[in-house]
Every structure is written in structure tokens, then in C-alpha cells.
Amino acid sequence: MELRYSDADEAFRAELRAWLDRELPKLAPQPAREAWDERRTWDTDWQRRLFDGGYAGLHWPKEFGGRGASPTEQLIFYEETARARAPYVGVNFVGTLHAGPTLIEEGTDEQKAAHLPKILCGDEVWCQGFSEPNAGSDLASLRTRAERDGDDYVLNGQKIWCSFGQVADVGEFLVRTDPDAPKHKGISWLILPMDTPGIEIRPIVTVLGSSEFCEVFLNDVRVPVANRVGAEHDGWRVTNVTLKYERGTAFVSELVDAMRLCEDLAPRVLDPAERRELGRCAAEFDALWALTKRNVSQAARGTTGPGAMVIKLAYSEARQRFGELCLRVLDRDALHIDDNELVEERLRVLALTIAAGASQIQRNIISERVLGLPREPR
Ligand SMILES: Cc1cc2nc3c(=O)[nH]c(=O)nc-3n(C[C@H](O)[C@H](O)[C@H](O)COP(=O)(O)OP(=O)(O)OC[C@H]3O[C@@H](n4cnc5c(N)ncnc54)[C@H](O)[C@@H]3O)c2cc1C
């Protein structure tokens, strides 16, 4: 394991720091939570700045317009952007973090040319239409039908928990193309333009009072067969490519953010027992950051260890304990502080042990694939 940064890494850090110092003061104030059009504009403006600065698609290969950065440079990027309190990818997360990388691995040349440049510069926002009301953990049970009609598929069904669906231009959608095959074998992965007739989007309000998710209803939606990524009925394999990127990258910047919030909470924590608890949270986040570095160090050598499997579970549960501590420290203040990041923390982190694979599912994966325990009965 190599945890030290090289001279070249430190040069990258200095260049990035200087760029952030120049760009961040130019940003407009962040829009209100429910101002969706403004949020889209704000997030895509940041994406455009990253693109112009040479920092968009940091982990994408150079031949597809990315920076082709080493895993260590990616860690430095997360450290520095968190230190400078730079914006998160926001509504661009599906496109930049997993739809784009899936197209790079599995898309045709036409699909890559049509979408990758637009994702990188913030011109195209993507959403994910995987989950359905009865297909979340057991995603392969999805029932949205895609029937072949000439050069089109005709889609009928319902998706749910589609993050930022109301501002997306395009979606990565899973549909059932063969209802008679075993459930993992009859699925296809489609690129769905979200302005296609027959798509109805209904936002769902979360506990934070924000409508970040949507239900998506599909009624006789026609999608060209040319929008399929991978072979017909082979969508489960393509899905695993998407999930590899989704679970691999989504939590690193969150972890850096958690370390920052620990520092923000510290001056308010006066009770000795709560100070001990805060110390424990900070130590856990620190240990997870060291584990992230180890995972990155292994990935750079082309290997993976159990660390990559446990990090999502360990991080999401540690962050929930921290969220509970925030509320205890604020006590009654939590009731009358408006727009407080620490109150939001308690509510927002409830979702972390569900999103991108629930904790129970992560435990199943660890017990079966890392510990070699017997498989769950199917
Ligand atoms: C913040 C957030 C953003 C999301 N964004 C998107 C998005 O953009 N697009 C999208 O398609 N989806 C999205 N999702 C949906 C997410 O993928 C699902 O919520 C998740 O896969 C769990 O599915 P479910 O909600 O149907 O719960 P269920 O699968 O119904 O699970 C309910 C409970 O049962 C447990 N359980 C289920 N099966 C087992 C088992 N075999 N063994 C033990 N316990 C089990 C689960 O762990 C959980 O506690 C998002 C979710 C969240 C929270």
C-alpha cells in the first residue's frame, strides 16, 4: 500500500487549488432547494467550468474527453474540492459517474459520440430509471415491458425513486424485453430521451420537504432499437457495469464532506460524553478515508480487496450515527433553526443505508462473496 503522494501528485494538487481559488468566487449564490430549473442551471454551470478547466470526467479515459486521472489524483480532487467547499456534481451525478462510464464500456460508437461530449460539458443531464415499486433490492424482478414494433420498442410500466428525473434530458432505463425468460435474462438497458411522448413525471416529496425523486410513468413510449446499449436481453450484464461505477464512486466525496461536518459540529459540543462520541465519529471517518486510500492503492495495482465491498456499508452506518449525534447536540435548537445543515444531516442520512443497495443487501454480498458463507435461498 502506498499512502504518500508523489511530487507529481502534489503538483496536481497545487494546480487544482489555484484553479479552485480562481473559479469559486465567480459562482452565483446557490439556488433554493425547490427551484429546479435554477438548480439545473447552477449545477450544469459548474460542470461547464470543470470542463473548461480540464477537470470534467476526471476518471474518464482521455480518448473520450476525460482527464484519465490516476486514482490518487482523483482522491486529491475530492480532498481539495471538499476543503474549498466547491459544489458537488449535483444533477450531473448519473451522467458523469455511471451512465457515461457505462457508455464508454458498452455503447456503440454512435451512442458514445451522441452523448459523451454533452455529458462532460454539462449540456446533457441524465437520470436513472432502474427501480420500480416492486423491484428495488430485487431489481431483476422489474416489470416495465418493452415490446418490439419494427425499429422501435414500445414501453409500458412504472419507475420510482428516479433522482432529478424532472430536470433530466435522458435516462438510463431498464426494461423487460423477454417476459418468458428467467428474470435476469430478459432485461435490456435503454437510452431514453425524457421528452419522448408518453412519459409522465410525478415528483415525490421527501422528509426534507424536497422533491428530489420522481415516479416515472411510461405509456406507449416509443424508443428506437438503436438506443439499446448491449445486446437484446443482455441488460443485466450491462446493469452490473453501471452498478460497479455507481457503488464505487458515489460515496467518496460524501466521506470528505462528513469529515468537514464533524469539524463544523465540534465547537457546539460541550458535554464530555458527546465529545467522546464526536471523537469516535471523526475516528471512524478517518479510518474509512484510510480504507479508501488502500482501496485506491489496490485499484491502481489492478487488484481489489474486501475493503471495496465493505466501504458503502460501513460509511452509511457511521454517517447515520453522526446524524443522530448532530440532533442530540442541537437539542431544542433543532426545532427552530431554519435551513440548518446539521438538522438536515439527520434527515438526509436516513436514505444512505437504502440508496445504491440497502445495508441488508450489502451484508448478503459481503457474507457470500467475501466470507464465503452459503448463498441466500432464492
Ligand atoms: C437517495 C436515494 C436515491 C435513489 N435514486 C434512485 C434513482 O435515481 N434511480 C433508481 O432507479 N432508483 C433509485 N433509488 C432506489 C434504490 O435503488 C432502492 O430504494 C433500493 O435499491 C432499495 O429498494 P426498495 O426501496 O424497493 O426497498 P426494498 O427492496 O423493498 O427493501 C425493503 C427492506 O427490505 C430489505 N430486504 C430486501 N430484500 C432483502 C433480502 N434479500 N435479505 C434481507 N433484507 C432484504 C432491504 O434491505 C430493506 O431494508 C434511490 C434510493 C435512494 C434512497
Side-chain angles (χ1 to χ4, degrees):
M1 174 168 68
E2 178 58 81
L3 293 185
R4 275 168 309 178
Y5 292 116
S6 67
D7 289 348
D9 291 334
E10 291 302 345
F12 172 75
R13 185 192 299 280
E15 175 209 300
L16 172 60
R17 222 176 243 201
W19 181 81
L20 287 166
D21 286 347
R22 277 197 310 277
E23 288 304 313
L24 291 176
K26 297 180 195 163
L27 291 184
Q30 199 161 358
R33 193 169 20 217
E34 282 303 283
W36 284 102
D37 289 343
E38 289 83 348
R39 274 182 70 171
R40 182 193 151 116
T41 305
W42 200 79
D43 289 353
T44 52
D45 168 68
W46 177 241
Q47 184 64 26
R48 178 83 216 186
R49 287 172 194 273
L50 289 172
F51 178 77
D52 291 340
Y55 297 106
L58 208 64
H59 57 300
W60 291 24
K62 281 189 178 151
E63 61 176 306
F64 299 111
R67 186 169 177 119
S70 69
T72 317
E73 286 173 338
Q74 293 171 45
L75 278 189
I76 292 173
F77 181 83
Y78 289 127
E79 283 178 346
E80 289 303 316
T81 47
R83 183 198 61 82
R85 305 197 175 203
Y88 180 57
V89 275
V91 301
N92 300 299
F93 86 101
V94 171
T96 56
L97 299 183
H98 46 91
T102 304
L103 292 185
I104 289 173
E105 273 196 40
E106 298 288 336
T108 62
D109 289 344
E110 291 74 21
Q111 290 166 346
K112 288 176 189 159
H115 299 288
L116 297 179
K118 289 190 194 162
I119 293 173
L120 275 185
C121 70
D123 280 353
E124 193 170 85
V125 171
W126 280 59
C127 64
Q128 181 188 60
F130 282 12
S131 306
E132 297 183 4
N134 289 310
S137 301
D138 186 13
L139 183 58
S141 301
L142 61 95
R143 289 193 303 192
T144 293
R145 282 297 316 275
E147 283 170 291
R148 191 81 179 245
D149 182 19
D151 290 337
D152 290 339
Y153 288 115
V154 181
L155 274 45
N156 280 288
Q158 184 198 341
K159 296 289 174 179
I160 195 166
W161 314 128
C162 179
S163 305
F164 307 127
Q166 66 273 62
V167 290
D169 305 302
V170 186
E172 48 177 28
F173 271 65
L174 295 184
V175 293
R176 186 157 299 286
T177 36
D178 183 355
D180 300 323
K183 66 181 180 181
H184 292 89
K185 305 230 186 259
I187 293 171
S188 296
W189 198 110
L190 296 183
I191 300 169
L192 178 63
M194 295 302 287
D195 59 357
T196 312
I199 299 180
E200 188 192 340
I201 296 175
R202 293 190 205 158
I204 305 170
V205 179
T206 71
V207 68
L208 279 171
S210 159
S211 53
E212 289 199 354
F213 299 128
C214 301
E215 290 178 293
V216 180
F217 295 87
L218 305 157
N219 297 306
D220 289 331
V221 176
R222 295 190 83 87
V223 190
V225 171
N227 283 24
R228 194 187 63 230
V229 175
E232 189 167 61
H233 315 319
D234 194 28
W236 189 249
R237 192 187 55 75
V238 185
T239 303
N240 279 300
V241 173
T242 312
L243 294 179
K244 173 181 79 178
Y245 288 108
E246 184 173 2
R247 291 177 181 163
T249 51
F251 293 95
V252 182
S253 51
E254 285 234 4
L255 179 55
V256 183
D257 188 50
M259 292 155 97
R260 173 182 70 76
L261 275 176
C262 271
E263 285 173 21
D264 288 358
L265 185 67
R268 291 174 168 267
V269 190
L270 305 174
D271 175 76
E274 287 175 348
R275 287 191 76 79
R276 264 197 304 279
E277 252 185 271
L278 178 65
R280 193 183 150 192
C281 287
E284 275 185 88
F285 292 142
D286 212 34
L288 284 166
W289 186 241
L291 182 62
T292 303
K293 283 183 167 175
R294 193 173 89 155
N295 292 344
V296 161
S297 176
Q298 286 176 326
R301 286 169 172 70
T303 57
T304 48
M309 300 272 204
V310 302
I311 198 134
K312 195 262 162 179
L313 176 68
Y315 162 71
S316 55
E317 298 197 346
R319 184 114 187 207
Q320 283 185 347
R321 280 193 293 280
F322 175 67
E324 279 160 24
L325 177 64
C326 285
L327 213 59
R328 253 181 296 134
V329 169
L330 293 179
D331 201 29
R332 290 178 177 218
D333 282 351
L335 292 174
H336 54 78
I337 298 178
D338 283 340
D339 199 21
N340 185 311
E341 206 183 1
L342 294 169
V343 178
E344 280 198 17
E345 172 68 9
R346 170 69 179 85
L347 300 173
R348 198 185 64 78
V349 297
L350 291 171
L352 293 184
T353 48
I354 303 171
S359 281
Q360 289 84 350
I361 301 305
Q362 299 303 313
R363 285 194 164 81
N364 276 352
I365 293 173
I366 293 164
S367 53
E368 291 173 13
R369 297 192 207 159
V370 180
L371 303 175
L373 295 176
R375 286 185 70 80
E376 181 185 20
R378 303 265 164 202

